[in-house]
Amino acid sequence: MNNSNKYTIYIPIFIATIFALGVLLGYKINVINQPSTKTKTGKNKINRLLDLINKEYVDEVNTDSIVDLTVNGILEKLDPHSVYIPKESLAQVNESMEGNFVGIGVNFYMYKDTLTVIKPVVNGPSERAGIKSGDRILFANKQQLFNKKIKNEKLFQILKGEVGTKVNLVIYRKAENKKFTVSVTRDLIPINSIDVATMLNAKKGYIKVNRFAETTYKEFHQALVKLKKQGMNEVIVDLRGNGGGYLEMAVAMADEFLKKGELIVKTKNKGGVIENSYATEKGVFESGKVAILIDESSASASEIFAGAIQDNDRGLIYGRRSFGKGLVQKEMKLDDGSAVRLTVARYFTPSGRSIQKPFLDKGNNYFNDFEKRFTSGELYKADSIKVADSLKFKTKKGRIVYGGGGIIPDIFVPLEDFHSEEGINVLLQSELLNYYVFEKLDENRAFFNGLNQASLKKELFGKAKYFNQFKQYMISNGLLISLVNQREKVLTYLYAEFSRQLFNDTSYYKITLPKDKMIKKVLEKEI
């Protein structure tokens, strides 16, 4: 809630605060089940006041919307990670962390206001029903999906449902110029935590982890075992952009690398109770070399994992200083179907570090301090990272590490040094490259489907038209960045995205990882 909201609706907020406190206190009473006399008196006062407001207040009060605003306002006074999740948002938030949802299994985007399939999920309901890349979904159970400017949230409601239920779709297949109806049976669709697990060479494996959800450890363990069977004795775990998730998953992942009895993380709650998590004997990669990749968006569980590896001198951390979140949240459901994620403890790395950065400013500046790091030069030079000598700690072997705001890497890897190279990062974040590739495939899907990996590369790199067309595509979509001397890199990413949409995700990484600055640094260092 911004400052203007706080002051322009002062009286309704006061009323809502009383109401919201009633909701929260009521919840507390339900959980503890042994309310004190003082709590009961407070609740009675609140209930009487609410009753009076409902009966006598001069205007109608929309209590639901006001309570949401007020609960957010209360939690904002605590810390940046104690948050309120409204009922309508909770299901989507939980899906991401549960690792699956129920649906028809398609990756799509609204192309010219028509729901268009980029790619069906492999072995998912839509692929089993015969839906292909490029298909337009016109109707779902007779509900029109084109020319309606339907928001994604509404589309999800239409296409999701219970396991085993059917949805009848009307499909237009442009490649064959035909329209047909197909029935798709909804099923569980995985939301994978592991983007890719592949070998970079004969002995080095690479695993990209995008979140720490309920299925993350299981996926990670399977990836480790698979790559070990392929000869891996050195592993790179990529946590760049990983905002975290469940602490337990980070602990379980770290356990794969640490020997029995080594400390992984410790937490301390309000009462001063300390809980230590130690490695067990069941790790499957306790002796091979380890490299961890982090950046300014690696947070929470990512930092727990990286801190455990660093403090136990189990491997090296590459990249840039991580986000800096050292607080633990517990989710508590409220009676109306909403939930509160409340900070209940702090965590500390094995050396005793708290890596929580200051949060005097709990607003946008806290979550988006990229600009501050950019201005200070921290993203380009390791010696621009400000550390406090008072927050100096030692790893198991006596190396100096620092607390007070993120994990500082052992080996610093800066952002791209030149403006045109920075433009590549902006380009990749914009998703324009993905859409351009889809539209090129859509123009002549039969031609591109006839290409293999080698002939695709020859087609893209051998003809000037793709790079030139893509530059014009960027301009027409309002992305004005310099690509001076970046032809080779742009074509590489185009080649990778064509490969992903035509073949699979692994092919994308096989093409891009050799060009990755951090990967190059790891390979140079010989972890």
Side-chain angles (χ1 to χ4, degrees):
M1 187 167 61
N2 61 36
N3 288 334
S4 62
N5 286 338
K6 287 178 182 175
Y7 295 106
T8 56
I9 49 171
Y10 176 79
I11 292 176
I13 284 297
F14 169 75
I15 295 168
T17 301
I18 299 297
F19 188 86
L21 286 171
V23 173
L24 293 176
L25 287 171
Y27 171 72
K28 184 177 180 182
I29 290 165
N30 288 337
V31 172
I32 297 174
N33 209 25
Q34 291 180 331
S36 66
T37 304
K38 183 177 179 181
T39 304
K40 286 190 343 189
T41 303
K43 185 182 177 187
N44 289 337
K45 283 184 180 179
I46 291 166
N47 286 339
R48 288 182 64 190
L49 179 57
L50 288 174
D51 211 31
L52 181 64
I53 291 167
N54 285 331
K55 288 179 181 177
E56 304 290 345
Y57 185 65
V58 64
D59 295 322
E60 288 295 320
V61 177
N62 183 344
T63 52
D64 288 341
S65 61
I66 293 175
V67 165
D68 285 1
L69 285 172
T70 306
V71 173
N72 277 318
I74 293 169
L75 294 174
E76 280 178 5
K77 300 296 182 185
L78 304 178
D79 67 86
H81 301 287
S82 290
V83 295
Y84 171 67
I85 307 172
K87 177 182 178 181
E88 56 271 17
S89 303
L90 188 60
Q92 187 174 349
V93 171
N94 285 343
E95 277 177 1
S96 175
M97 298 311 296
E98 288 167 0
N100 58 63
F101 67 95
V102 178
I104 65 170
V106 292
N107 296 309
F108 70 90
Y109 93 102
M110 296 303 290
Y111 178 51
K112 296 181 179 178
D113 206 22
T114 301
L115 195 160
T116 306
V117 177
I118 296 174
K119 199 170 187 180
V121 173
V122 176
N123 296 321
S126 290
E127 186 179 74
R128 292 196 296 266
I131 292 175
K132 297 180 179 181
S133 299
D135 283 353
R136 275 68 165 166
I137 303 178
L138 305 181
F139 293 88
N141 289 339
K142 298 184 178 180
Q143 187 165 352
Q144 183 176 320
L145 303 182
F146 63 95
N147 293 337
K148 287 288 188 179
K149 295 183 179 178
I150 303 175
K151 293 183 178 179
N152 282 351
E153 293 80 5
K154 180 64 175 176
L155 286 172
F156 293 148
Q157 291 175 13
I158 295 168
L159 298 176
K160 289 179 180 180
E162 299 295 323
V163 172
T165 58
K166 295 183 182 296
V167 54
N168 295 314
L169 305 177
V170 176
I171 305 293
Y172 172 69
R173 181 164 295 161
K174 181 186 174 186
E176 300 172 19
N177 193 26
K178 72 174 184 179
K179 189 165 69 172
F180 59 95
T181 302
V182 63
S183 180
V184 179
T185 303
R186 296 182 179 97
D187 203 349
L188 280 174
I189 309 300
I191 305 175
N192 294 324
S193 300
I194 307 298
D195 288 336
V196 65
T198 188
M199 296 296 291
L200 296 180
N201 56 35
K203 63 179 182 178
K204 288 184 175 68
Y206 170 86
I207 304 173
K208 169 69 173 172
V209 187
N210 63 52
R211 63 165 68 79
F212 288 82
E214 287 182 13
T215 60
T216 300
Y217 170 67
K218 180 180 178 181
E219 293 178 51
F220 188 77
H221 175 79
Q222 291 171 346
L224 272 179
V225 171
K226 180 187 82 169
L227 295 182
K228 278 190 71 176
K229 287 179 180 177
Q230 295 176 28
M232 178 182 74
N233 57 25
E234 301 179 20
V235 65
I236 300 169
V237 180
D238 192 345
L239 301 178
R240 288 174 292 180
N242 185 325
Y246 293 131
L247 179 147
E248 295 83 359
M249 295 297 107
V251 170
M253 275 176 51
D255 193 5
E256 295 285 21
F257 300 98
L258 300 175
K259 288 183 168 35
K260 182 180 179 180
E262 289 186 303
L263 182 60
I264 296 173
V265 68
K266 48 189 171 184
T267 60
K268 183 178 180 180
N269 69 10
K270 183 177 183 177
V273 177
I274 296 174
E275 292 188 8
N276 295 330
S277 298
Y278 295 96
T280 67
E281 72 283 350
K282 52 182 192 177
V284 300
F285 205 86
E286 293 183 358
S287 59
K289 293 183 177 179
V290 181
I292 311 297
L293 311 186
I294 62 171
D295 64 11
E296 50 283 340
S297 298
S298 305
S300 184
S302 291
E303 295 170 304
I304 290 173
F305 178 79
I309 297 298
Q310 188 177 50
D311 284 5
N312 283 291
D313 293 297
R314 179 65 187 86
L316 293 175
I317 312 299
Y318 291 74
R320 297 180 293 280
R321 181 168 64 96
S322 63
F323 180 83
K325 177 181 180 292
L327 305 174
V328 181
Q329 285 72 47
K330 180 179 180 180
E331 184 174 297
M332 292 166 276
K333 298 217 170 25
L334 302 178
D335 291 341
D336 66 346
S338 60
V340 167
R341 284 189 180 165
L342 192 69
T343 296
V344 295
R346 297 179 184 274
Y347 73 75
F348 301 84
T349 70
S351 66
R353 288 183 288 168
S354 169
I355 53 83
Q356 176 63 48
K357 65 183 179 181
F359 51 83
L360 292 175
D361 178 358
K362 302 183 182 71
N364 289 333
N365 288 339
Y366 173 83
F367 289 102
N368 302 310
D369 67 347
F370 181 87
E371 185 176 344
K372 185 164 57 177
R373 297 191 187 194
F374 178 85
T375 304
S376 71
E378 170 182 334
L379 301 175
Y380 297 96
K381 293 182 180 179
D383 57 13
S384 294
I385 300 174
K386 291 181 173 58
V387 293
D389 284 343
S390 60
L391 298 174
K392 186 184 294 186
F393 296 82
K394 289 186 178 180
T395 69
K396 206 170 186 180
K397 292 182 179 179
R399 293 189 301 126
I400 300 297
V401 289
Y402 293 90
I407 300 290
I408 297 174
D410 301 302
I411 298 170
F412 180 77
V413 183
L415 275 180
E416 304 292 356
D417 297 324
F418 302 105
H419 179 68
S420 57
E421 291 180 335
E422 288 176 357
I424 295 291
N425 294 328
V426 175
L427 170 61
L428 294 175
Q429 292 168 10
S430 73
E431 296 191 328
L432 280 182
L433 191 142
N434 311 47
Y435 297 148
Y436 168 80
V437 169
F438 172 81
E439 291 176 27
K440 292 306 295 182
L441 290 174
D442 203 51
E443 287 175 11
N444 196 347
R445 201 165 286 275
F447 169 73
F448 284 105
N449 283 341
L451 301 179
N452 58 26
Q453 200 85 52
S455 56
L456 173 64
K457 184 176 183 179
K458 185 178 179 181
E459 171 71 14
L460 295 173
F461 283 84
K463 296 179 180 178
K465 69 176 184 179
Y466 292 100
F467 180 68
N468 293 332
Q469 285 177 356
F470 181 65
K471 284 199 299 183
Q472 290 303 312
Y473 185 82
M474 284 172 44
I475 293 169
S476 65
N477 282 277
L479 186 61
L480 306 177
I481 58 174
S482 171
L483 295 179
V484 174
N485 300 322
Q486 295 300 306
R487 180 181 183 277
E488 194 75 12
K489 188 170 280 190
V490 169
L491 286 175
T492 296
Y493 280 107
L494 282 173
Y495 172 41
E497 186 58 34
F498 270 102
S499 296
R500 172 153 51 191
Q501 294 192 30
L502 284 170
F503 309 122
N504 53 53
D505 287 349
T506 301
S507 64
Y508 176 91
Y509 287 97
K510 287 282 190 182
I511 295 165
T512 58
L513 287 175
K515 306 288 186 182
D516 189 300
K517 196 170 184 177
M518 280 197 203
I519 297 293
K520 285 181 178 180
K521 194 74 171 180
V522 176
L523 297 179
E524 288 170 9
K525 186 71 178 177
E526 283 297 318
I527 62 170

